[in-house]
Amino acid sequence: MAHWTLDDIDWTAFRRDQVDPDLLRVAKAAALVEHNGADYAVYLNNVFADDPEIRPEIDAWALEEVQHGAALARWAQMADPAWDFAAAFKRFTDGYKLPLDAATSVRGSRTGELIARCIVETGTSSYYSALADISHEPVFKQICRRIAADELRHYKLFYSHMRRYQSTENLGRWGRVWTGLGRIAESEDDELAYAYYAANQWPAAYDRKTSARAYARRAYSVYRRAHVERGVGMALKAVGLSPQGWLQRGVAAFAARAIATRARVLARANA
């Protein structure tokens, strides 16, 4: 896979006066989640233990995810020199645990696992594209654009292996759709909420609902219609539905309205 390093970022272009405090908070949380890629690799390598075709690609994917976290963390520490990334990451990994001892997919099949990975990469590619588009800080833009491109490649990687497994496992259409919907629903589970807490709210006591709302209020506000339309098309393709046409348009319109409404409601509640 194509690869870049932290040296490819023009760190000298950093403009502190262009840092958005809300984007800084979500960047700190994202740095923790991305940097935890090594643990995800342990889980996925357990699930695909006997598949020598995908395992090297899982390891390469994990290295890129960890690098995403390192890039975001370096930027966040430039924007907020008092922030201790190492301490925040330890808090996150101490408090949020992945099923590292699982020998089979928590999705019920390998096809389902790969669909879930496609949904995750769909969300992250769209999210970092949205962050890049809305931010005025030059270095953050560079980082987010590179990460968004990586996540799109990761989507294509997992999609290709999903099709390979689907040819033998024959997971039904509704099973694929249900898996995709389930993974979308998990976008508001403990992982992002706890990452936001560990990065921004500690040492206050952790309250999942409070942290989830604080994260969502900032994250949902960055999306524009084009980001939602692209993400919906990718998600539909992952579950075996047409990424274009009336279904895509309808789902995208509904999702865009839902995201915008949620962002407004959370903003009013915060005010």
Side-chain angles (χ1 to χ4, degrees):
M1 290 188 286
H3 195 58
W4 52 276
T5 72
L6 299 190
D7 292 336
D8 294 316
I9 303 297
D10 180 10
W11 300 99
T12 64
F14 178 72
R15 291 279 304 278
R16 188 183 302 278
D17 61 319
Q18 295 297 317
V19 173
D20 182 309
D22 281 338
L23 297 189
L24 174 58
R25 291 184 180 95
V26 296
K28 288 177 178 178
L32 305 186
V33 174
E34 296 280 350
H35 205 63
N36 203 29
D39 273 2
Y40 276 100
V42 171
Y43 164 70
L44 289 174
N45 275 317
N46 288 344
V47 172
F48 296 97
D50 60 349
D51 186 345
E53 186 173 341
I54 194 174
R55 289 191 62 182
E57 295 183 321
I58 289 172
D59 293 335
W61 163 82
L63 289 175
E64 292 195 3
E65 295 295 300
V66 170
Q67 179 177 271
H68 296 168
L72 290 165
R74 180 169 171 178
W75 178 81
Q77 289 177 306
M78 292 175 71
D80 178 9
W83 188 56
D84 188 336
F85 168 67
F89 185 68
K90 185 176 188 304
R91 284 194 295 272
F92 174 59
T93 54
D94 284 348
Y96 180 80
K97 301 294 185 181
L98 293 168
L100 300 184
D101 57 347
T104 58
S105 173
V106 298
R107 311 293 168 185
S109 68
R110 291 179 173 183
T111 301
E113 183 64 48
L114 291 165
I115 288 172
R117 294 314 315 168
C118 286
I119 296 298
V120 171
E121 304 301 339
T122 293
T124 52
S125 180
S126 300
Y127 182 49
Y128 286 110
S129 293
L131 288 172
D133 289 344
I134 202 171
S135 176
H136 297 293
E137 203 293 301
V139 176
F140 191 57
K141 273 186 175 292
Q142 291 179 56
I143 294 169
C144 289
R145 284 173 177 160
R146 288 183 180 274
I147 295 177
D150 281 351
E151 306 294 24
L152 179 58
R153 288 190 295 101
H154 296 165
Y155 171 91
K156 294 176 180 177
L157 164 69
F158 290 121
Y159 182 79
S160 67
H161 286 290
M162 183 274 290
R163 292 192 65 184
R164 178 165 63 91
Y165 274 98
Q166 174 62 11
S167 68
T168 56
E169 292 184 338
N170 294 315
L171 183 63
R173 174 169 291 177
W174 286 113
R176 285 176 281 166
V177 171
W178 191 250
T179 297
L181 289 173
R183 189 58 188 85
I184 291 171
E186 289 173 21
S187 63
E188 294 196 14
D189 68 3
D190 246 8
E191 182 178 29
L192 289 172
Y194 199 82
Y196 188 87
Y197 163 77
N200 297 287
Q201 297 174 322
W202 183 87
Y206 175 58
D207 178 76
R208 193 196 69 80
K209 183 178 291 187
T210 299
S211 297
R213 286 178 174 175
Y215 173 80
R217 178 174 68 82
R218 294 168 172 88
Y220 285 8
S221 67
V222 307
Y223 287 99
R224 300 297 178 262
R225 181 63 176 264
H227 307 126
V228 177
E229 289 178 345
R230 179 170 170 269
V232 166
M234 292 170 65
L236 290 174
K237 181 178 179 180
V239 300
L241 299 174
S242 174
Q244 298 176 333
W246 67 269
L247 180 61
Q248 186 272 344
R249 291 192 297 271
V251 174
F254 173 81
R257 285 196 299 271
I259 289 171
T261 299
R262 181 80 190 281
R264 287 195 300 269
V265 169
L266 291 171
R268 285 199 298 267
N270 181 70

